[in-house]
């Protein structure tokens, strides 16, 4: 299924003037604070977020999964679905593949479909948290941290295989997330587990092409519920430094214990030039993988506030990789992803509106009240017209969710694919 440009243009036709009027007001308001609204619109138009290939079908939990109908049955169809989101938002121009869930049978055909949909291949993801049916070694008791040499080597070889597949597709980075850990005290030797992990990651790092990056993703628990070897940002940061200058920490928003100050972690990693990228989602309790900005939108704003500051001041930190990592247990996966993109754009736009000069002065004067007022002035600004202007500028639609429903896209996908298809992934 593809959308044609006329459908999109028609959808925007009578909406441009309203958007311009709204932005004229913001232009006047924020020019007083030396903030250029048009520069922000350009930054929003250029902003691209990678869509996870494992989140285009209905997600589930151990308690059940409710199919959504019209789900993609192949990598080709997953790229088509990302193409639909990108046509509507012009913000989803990248995919993050998970291997072996998305091994491309015909690499050239896959590259053609991606190109045809304006999609590039962002970070590749390895999988040493599940045993494949044809596996000759098991990851039940760990992979890169395993006390079993054969399991470790098996996991290292898998990561090297993922790099090879990524090279063929034009990807330039590998994300390693490890479920490795323990469910009970005494089950593993923490030090040996960490040393094994460090040695294994160094081996994988040495197999990466010179222009690739390694992203080390941390997580405090699940599926292990007593210890996770790469449990927090500090452990990931330490391992990234041990690997080399092209190894970085990846921050998955759901991988923090309750009330963790994630924006401070972001500031610290950027200062040290080790923030590689993000897995955006939201959560109330654990790694809930909910729609971005659906539970703690102010936290997301505070994180982008540190990112905007860091992208201005930490030139030693590379441009971060932006990815969504969510699971759709009850919502239409494509609508959920469109909502997540909207929330990310809103937080970024609000952070770009912060009057940084005034904030610096207020911080120097320890004017705590004014510091908060300056931040919340930006957070309390309705920036949706800025995002609409960015979409008009990049030939997307001003309201992707409304367009998705107006064009009855899910209905068409169900007609094409039926209701029984189950997409690979979580
Ligand atoms: C682990 C994780 C990781 C992916 C997986 C699908 O919780 O966030 O990024 O490999 O989800
Ligand atoms: Mn993740």
């Amino acid at each position: 299924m593809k959308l044609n440009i006329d459908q999109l243009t028609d959808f925007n036709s009578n909406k441009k003037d309203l958007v311009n009027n709204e932005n004229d007001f913001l232009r006047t308001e924020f020019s007083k604070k030396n903030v250029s609204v048009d520069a922000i619109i350009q930054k929003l138009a250029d902003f691209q977020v990678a869509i996870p290939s494992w989140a285009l079908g209905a997600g589930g939990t151990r308690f059940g999964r409710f199919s959504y109908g019209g789900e993609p049955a192949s990598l080709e169809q997953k790229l088509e679905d990302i193409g639909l989101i990108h046509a509507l938002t012009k913000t989803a121009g990248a995919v993050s593949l998970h291997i072996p869930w998305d091994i491309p049978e015909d690499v050239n055909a896959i590259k053609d479909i991606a190109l045809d949909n304006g999609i590039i291949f962002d970070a590749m993801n390895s999988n040493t948290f599940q045993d494949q049916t044809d596996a000759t070694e098991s990851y039940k008791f760990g992979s890169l941290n395993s006390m079993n040499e054969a399991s470790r080597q098996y996991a290292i070889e898998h990561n090297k295989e993922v790099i090879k597949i990524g090279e063929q597709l034009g990807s330039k980075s590998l994300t390693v997330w490890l479920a490795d850990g323990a469910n009970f005290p005494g089950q593993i030797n923490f030090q040996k587990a960490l040393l094994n992990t460090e040695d294994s990651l160094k081996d994988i790092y040495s197999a990466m092409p010179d222009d690739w990056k390694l992203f080390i993703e941390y997580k405090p628990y699940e599926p292990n519920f007593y210890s996770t070897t790469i449990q927090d940002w500090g452990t990931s940061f330490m391992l990234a430094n041990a690997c080399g200058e092209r190894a970085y920490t990846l921050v998955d928003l759901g991988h923090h214990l309750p009330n963790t100050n994630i924006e401070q972690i972001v500031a610290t990693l950027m200062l040290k030039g080790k923030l590689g990228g993000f897995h955006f989602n939201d959560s109330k309790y654990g790694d809930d993988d909910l729609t971005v900005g659906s539970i703690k939108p102010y936290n997301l704003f505070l994180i982008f506030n540190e990112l905007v500051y860091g992208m201005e001041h930490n030139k030693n930190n590379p441009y971060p990789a932006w990815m969504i990592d969510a699971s759709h247990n009850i919502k239409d996966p494509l609508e959920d992803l469109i909502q997540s993109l909207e929330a990310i754009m809103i937080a970024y736009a609000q952070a770009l509106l912060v009057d940084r000069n005034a904030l610096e002065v207020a911080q120097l004067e320890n004017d705590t009240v004014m510091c908060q007022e300056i931040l919340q002035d930006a957070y309390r600004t309705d920036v949706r017209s800025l995002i609409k202007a960015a979409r008009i500028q990049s030939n997307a639609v001003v309201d992707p969710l409304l367009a998705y429903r107006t064009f009855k896209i899910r209905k068409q996908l169900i007609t094409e694919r039926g209701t029984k298809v189950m997409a690979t992934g979580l």
Side-chain angles (χ1 to χ4, degrees):
M1 178 186 171
K2 278 189 72 83
L3 297 168
N4 64 56
I5 189 72
D6 300 341
Q7 274 181 297
L8 305 178
T9 315
D10 293 354
F11 186 88
N12 282 350
S13 55
N14 57 0
K15 299 179 178 70
K16 287 185 182 164
D17 299 345
L18 177 62
V19 170
N20 287 335
N21 297 345
E22 288 172 343
N23 288 329
D24 285 344
F25 166 76
L26 288 176
R27 277 189 190 88
T28 316
E29 274 307 294
F30 283 90
S31 59
K32 298 172 195 153
K33 301 168 185 166
N34 316 319
V35 173
S36 159
V37 157
D38 292 296
I40 292 176
I41 291 172
Q42 187 56 55
K43 281 196 173 137
L44 295 171
D46 298 339
F47 196 75
Q48 296 296 315
V49 180
I51 303 296
S53 62
W54 59 91
L56 292 161
T61 72
R62 58 186 166 165
F63 302 105
R65 181 184 182 281
F66 304 94
S67 178
Y68 210 88
E71 293 187 27
S74 64
L75 181 52
E76 288 76 0
Q77 291 184 346
K78 288 184 176 188
L79 294 175
E80 284 165 18
D81 288 5
I82 297 172
L84 290 170
I85 299 173
H86 192 46
L88 295 173
T89 65
K90 287 296 186 297
T91 308
V95 61
S96 187
L97 295 187
H98 220 296
I99 306 293
W101 293 336
D102 303 300
I103 294 180
E105 258 97 50
D106 177 339
V107 169
N108 291 327
I110 288 294
K111 288 169 83 171
D112 292 347
I113 295 170
L115 195 62
D116 185 39
N117 286 284
I119 297 167
I120 62 157
F121 293 92
D122 204 310
M124 303 294 289
N125 296 267
S126 58
N127 178 340
T128 60
F129 51 86
Q130 294 171 329
D131 288 346
Q132 305 309 313
T133 48
D134 60 354
T136 57
E137 297 297 335
S138 173
Y139 298 136
K140 180 174 179 179
F141 295 108
S143 64
L144 301 186
N145 81 339
S146 178
M147 302 307 286
N148 174 313
E149 167 71 21
S151 293
R152 264 204 324 276
Q153 280 314 317
Y154 196 65
I156 291 169
E157 286 318 308
H158 165 69
N159 278 277
K160 292 179 179 178
E161 190 47 42
V162 173
I163 292 170
K164 288 201 184 72
I165 296 170
E167 277 188 274
Q168 293 172 32
L169 294 167
S171 172
K172 293 293 183 191
S173 53
L174 169 70
T175 295
V176 173
W177 168 68
L178 304 176
D180 296 7
N183 269 325
F184 303 96
Q187 179 186 334
I188 65 172
N189 176 306
F190 294 139
Q191 297 193 16
K192 290 179 182 169
L194 187 55
L195 282 173
N196 289 342
T197 303
E198 182 174 319
D199 293 345
S200 303
L201 285 171
K202 283 177 176 173
D203 190 336
I204 294 165
Y205 182 86
S206 65
M208 286 196 317
D210 296 345
D211 61 351
W212 271 54
K213 294 190 186 93
L214 175 64
F215 299 143
I216 302 172
E217 184 177 1
Y218 58 90
K219 184 174 181 177
Y221 71 95
E222 189 207 36
N224 278 297
F225 294 102
Y226 167 65
S227 156
T228 297
T229 301
I230 309 182
Q231 63 168 333
D232 58 14
W233 75 271
T235 308
S236 166
F237 178 69
M238 202 172 50
L239 291 166
N241 283 316
C243 286
E245 63 184 15
R246 288 177 293 107
Y248 302 90
T249 292
L250 186 138
V251 177
D252 183 312
L253 299 187
H255 292 184
H256 300 88
L257 299 175
N259 306 323
T260 299
N261 187 327
I262 303 174
E263 57 269 26
Q264 185 176 352
I265 293 172
V266 169
T268 305
L269 289 169
M270 291 196 91
L271 179 62
K272 296 299 180 182
K274 279 298 185 185
L275 177 72
F278 282 88
H279 280 180
F280 291 114
N281 47 54
D282 210 338
S283 50
K284 178 81 175 158
Y285 304 104
D287 187 19
D288 311 339
D289 280 343
L290 300 174
T291 315
V292 181
S294 60
I295 309 288
K296 308 187 288 280
Y298 190 54
N299 281 53
L300 185 67
F301 161 74
L302 293 175
I303 288 168
F304 267 93
N305 178 49
E306 294 304 329
L307 284 166
V308 167
Y309 179 87
M311 288 193 276
E312 231 164 270
H313 293 82
N314 308 121
K315 298 307 178 190
N316 58 325
N317 198 91
Y319 183 76
W322 316 110
M323 291 168 274
I324 292 172
D325 184 0
S327 178
H328 324 290
N329 299 348
I330 55 172
K331 289 181 178 180
D332 176 326
L334 302 188
E335 291 193 345
D336 200 337
L337 290 164
I338 289 170
Q339 286 186 304
S340 283
L341 290 169
E342 178 86 0
I344 292 167
M345 296 281 270
I346 286 174
Y348 184 33
Q350 291 166 332
L352 289 167
L353 283 176
V354 172
D355 184 340
R356 302 216 166 261
N357 301 338
L359 181 61
E360 191 158 355
V361 170
Q363 287 169 339
L364 288 171
E365 295 169 354
N366 294 317
D367 184 345
T368 311
V369 170
M370 201 38 68
C371 291
Q372 181 182 327
E373 287 303 313
I374 292 163
L375 274 190
Q376 294 193 332
D377 174 41
Y379 179 69
R380 292 170 176 158
T381 301
D382 184 348
V383 295
R384 291 175 291 180
S385 59
L386 297 179
I387 296 162
K388 288 178 178 162
R391 294 210 176 102
I392 290 170
Q393 199 170 299
S394 42
N395 295 323
V397 293
V398 289
D399 189 334
L401 199 56
L402 181 60
Y404 179 87
R405 292 190 171 194
T406 306
F407 300 153
K408 296 190 174 18
I409 292 178
R410 178 53 60 186
K411 190 163 175 295
Q412 291 183 56
L413 290 173
I414 290 172
T415 308
E416 275 179 31
R417 298 169 181 173
T419 57
K420 296 284 171 284
V421 187
M422 199 165 113
T424 56
L426 277 187

